[in-house]
Amino acid sequence: MTTTSSIQDLFTYNRAWAAQMERERPGFFTSLKSQQSPKYMWIGCSDSRVPANQITGLDPGEVFVHRNVANVVVPTDLNCLSTIQFAVDQLRIEHLMVVGHYGCGGVKAALTNQRVGLADNWLRHIKDVRDRHAGILAATAPEGRHDVLCELNVIEQVMNVAHTTVVQDAWASGQRLALHGWVYGLSDGLLQNLHITVNGQDGMASLYRAAIAGVSATRR
């Protein structure tokens, strides 16, 4: 298949999908364009195998999405922080999920010190997670370390979200907002709860410690 024909196929599929949606749910697009009012925000990996809407069974308009390499949240990333701010302040989302996935190439590169190019600078944040939890990784069989670091990375990124000024201000004003850490399995299509759900400033440290202990205690 040539590049031209494969690109044209996308338009063909798009029109078929739009027509099917309108047949099955008349007025769907008219309703969709009128407003955006999702309850959920998904911060996930850019990996093409991890589509937020399909995994969760949500329609367009029901989940606000930010994706980057290895689902990292850092205080210097204005793209991510602006997306969080819009979701929290303007859309008034109620749940923000940080979702990693097993088999993540970015996490593997950080774990093994594989050079991938410019993204090495970005993956430094995951190397910091790796180094912070070196004891847990050392106590894990080599074949399980990639999965463990995927999980630890999610937990750390949830805490990074929790410490953003946007989220701190939302909680201080009494806004209902829960942060969650999940991981997705490419091999079975299932989401796993990493038991890090943060609803406010109180008790964050103990929730974090419990979630890390849960990863460490899981038999693999």
Side-chain angles (χ1 to χ4, degrees):
M1 182 180 293
T2 66
T3 301
T4 303
S5 62
S6 64
I7 288 295
Q8 186 56 45
D9 284 344
L10 299 184
F11 286 95
T12 301
Y13 298 148
N14 165 254
R15 280 149 179 76
W17 169 77
Q20 179 181 355
M21 288 295 291
E22 192 61 30
R23 283 194 307 271
E24 296 176 353
R25 300 170 65 176
F28 174 79
F29 293 107
T30 301
S31 174
L32 189 63
K33 75 176 183 179
S34 64
Q35 65 176 344
Q36 176 180 218
S37 54
K39 293 182 180 180
Y40 309 102
M41 180 177 179
W42 171 292
I43 297 179
C45 183
S46 298
D47 193 301
S48 60
R49 300 168 294 177
V50 192
N53 287 77
Q54 289 174 266
I55 289 171
T56 54
L58 295 174
D59 281 335
E62 292 187 322
V63 58
F64 199 63
V65 178
H66 176 83
R67 297 169 70 170
N68 61 47
V69 175
N71 44 272
V72 172
V73 178
V74 292
T76 54
D77 181 4
L78 295 183
N79 184 357
C80 182
L81 295 185
S82 296
T83 308
I84 294 172
Q85 186 271 327
F86 189 86
V88 172
D89 291 350
Q90 301 300 316
L91 299 178
R92 310 291 287 186
I93 59 160
E94 297 178 9
H95 300 276
L96 188 156
M97 301 87 72
V98 178
V99 186
H101 68 96
Y102 297 122
C104 180
V107 172
K108 183 178 181 180
L111 177 66
T112 61
N113 283 315
Q114 176 187 353
R115 290 294 302 273
V116 296
L118 181 63
D120 293 332
N121 300 282
W122 181 252
L123 298 178
R124 178 67 253 176
H125 300 295
I126 304 176
K127 290 181 180 179
D128 291 341
V129 176
R130 177 200 66 188
D131 295 345
R132 185 175 302 122
H133 300 290
I136 294 175
L137 291 167
T140 303
E143 61 271 18
R145 289 173 186 166
H146 188 185
D147 286 355
V148 167
L149 187 53
C150 287
E151 295 172 1
L152 293 171
N153 182 52
V154 167
I155 294 168
E156 293 291 345
Q157 305 315 319
V158 169
M159 299 308 296
N160 286 348
V161 175
H163 286 105
T164 62
T165 55
V166 173
V167 171
Q168 289 285 312
D169 289 347
W171 284 335
S173 70
Q175 184 172 341
R176 288 182 55 192
L177 176 63
L179 313 180
H180 311 272
W182 301 345
V183 66
Y184 173 70
L186 294 174
S187 61
D188 57 15
L190 299 179
L191 288 166
Q192 302 297 332
N193 187 350
L194 294 178
H195 303 292
I196 178 75
T197 295
V198 186
N199 297 293
Q201 299 178 27
D202 295 338
M204 284 200 298
S206 60
L207 289 169
Y208 169 78
R209 288 193 297 269
I212 296 296
V215 172
S216 178
T218 299
R219 300 182 64 182
R220 302 176 191 277

